[in-house]
């Protein structure tokens, strides 16, 4: 795991960390999903064992039910043996069972023949024909709908080849995934899931902080105010210095220099302002 999110980030503008955060989330999500699937397989295996044990008990119960049916049949035979020979009573009960089985079998076979085939072949053929017409228009070859036609066989062979390639690609992908994510025990899966879950939660919380506009705008406004304060102080300092120089210059000249004092002060202030603006633009 990356050490980037081990603690709180520094104060200030953090929007530049957004791509790294999203990249980390995209890297952690597949690993978390793979471990969740592996843990689900372990859980299903455990439940399958429990279902197998339950099925074994149910099989034992069904065996004893079969014994019960056999006992009832024996009781029926022995009851009939009180009024006729035992062999005749057994033969009579077997004949009744045979008649019931024949009647049920004949009815089932007749109904099954009526239901065959189980798929609506004509409807399916019509739907395929309509789809072919909608896809290719009058150029659709209806012979493709006949499984015995050469066109249908060629199309089936091409489809089988594409399916084989897709299956091979899927198996290769599964092998690569198995190599990347080796099998882990159930405690190891628990540990990795909990650790990665906490990591994802921390990354998600930091993503909210990075996407929060107010702190970022506040930081920019504070930096701008600080720069403006520094510029204002420098402007006042320059203005005072220019005033002192102009006062010294006025004292060193005659009375005609008084009329140029406002203009010289304005020119000095303008030059100082230009210099300060250049510094502010160069150092944002």
């Amino acid at each position: 795991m990356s050490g980037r999110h081990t603690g709180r980030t520094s104060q200030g503008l953090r929007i530049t960390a957004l791509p790294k955060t999203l990249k980390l989330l995209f890297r952690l999500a597949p690993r978390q999903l793979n471990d969740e699937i592996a843990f689900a397989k372990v859980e299903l295996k455990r439940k399958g064992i429990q279902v197998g044990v339950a099925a074994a008990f149910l099989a034992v119960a069904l065996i004893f039910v079969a014994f019960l049916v056999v006992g009832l049949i024996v009781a029926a035979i022995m009851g009939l043996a009180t009024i006729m020979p035992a062999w005749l009573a057994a033969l009579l009960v077997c004949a009744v069972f045979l008649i019931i089985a024949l009647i049920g079998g004949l009815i089932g076979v007749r109904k099954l023949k009526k239901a065959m085939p189980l798929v609506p072949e004509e409807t399916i053929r019509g739907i395929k024909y309509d789809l072919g017409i909608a896809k290719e228009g009058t150029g659709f070859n209806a012979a493709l709908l006949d499984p015995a036609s050469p066109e249908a066989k060629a199309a089936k062979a091409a489809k089988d080849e594409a399916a084989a390639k897709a299956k091979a690609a899927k198996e290769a992908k599964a092998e690569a995934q198995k190599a990347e994510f080796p099998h882990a025990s159930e405690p190891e899966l628990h540990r990795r899931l909990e650790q990665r879950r906490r990591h994802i939660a921390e990354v998600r919380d930091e993503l909210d902080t990075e996407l929060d506009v107010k702190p970022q705008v506040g930081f920019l406004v504070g930096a701008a105010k600080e720069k403006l304060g520094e510029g204002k102080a420098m402007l006042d300092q320059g203005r005072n210095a220019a005033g002192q120089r102009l006062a010294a210059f006025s004292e060193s000249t005659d009375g005609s220099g008084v009329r140029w004092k406002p203009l010289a002060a304005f020119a000095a202030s303008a030059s100082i302002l230009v210099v300060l603006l250049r510094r502010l633009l160069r150092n944002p």
Side-chain angles (χ1 to χ4, degrees), residues 14-15 206-217:
R14 298 179 301 274
I15 195 66
E206 185 168 351
L207 183 62
D208 288 339
T209 304
E210 292 172 356
L211 293 178
D212 193 359
V213 179
K214 291 183 179 181
Q216 312 304 321
V217 173

Side-chain angles (χ1 to χ4, degrees), residues 77-121:
I77 294 173
M78 294 181 65
L80 291 175
T82 58
I83 57 176
M84 61 182 65
W87 63 270
L88 184 59
L91 185 62
L92 181 61
V93 172
C94 291
V96 172
F97 288 162
L98 179 61
I99 293 172
I100 295 174
L102 289 176
I103 294 174
L106 290 175
I107 294 175
V109 170
R110 183 178 299 178
K111 290 187 176 295
L112 184 62
K113 286 183 178 180
K114 288 183 180 180
M116 294 298 292
L118 298 177
V119 293
E121 294 180 348

Side-chain angles (χ1 to χ4, degrees), residues 23-86:
K23 184 178 179 180
L24 180 60
L25 285 176
F26 288 141
R27 183 173 63 85
L28 289 177
R31 296 179 180 273
Q32 183 73 358
L33 181 60
N34 184 77
D35 283 348
E36 292 285 1
I37 294 174
F39 185 71
K41 291 180 179 179
V42 173
E43 188 175 2
L44 289 176
K45 183 178 179 180
R46 184 171 60 250
K47 290 182 179 294
I49 294 174
Q50 295 175 356
V51 171
V53 174
F57 280 102
L58 289 176
V60 172
L62 289 176
I63 291 174
F64 281 96
V65 169
F67 290 164
L68 175 63
V69 172
V70 172
L72 292 175
I73 294 172
V74 173
I77 294 173
M78 294 181 65
L80 291 175
T82 58
I83 57 176
M84 61 182 65

Side-chain angles (χ1 to χ4, degrees), residues 8-28:
R8 302 298 301 172
T9 57
S10 60
Q11 297 296 328
L13 191 63
R14 298 179 301 274
I15 195 66
T16 56
L18 180 59
K20 293 182 180 179
T21 303
L22 293 177
K23 184 178 179 180
L24 180 60
L25 285 176
F26 288 141
R27 183 173 63 85
L28 289 177

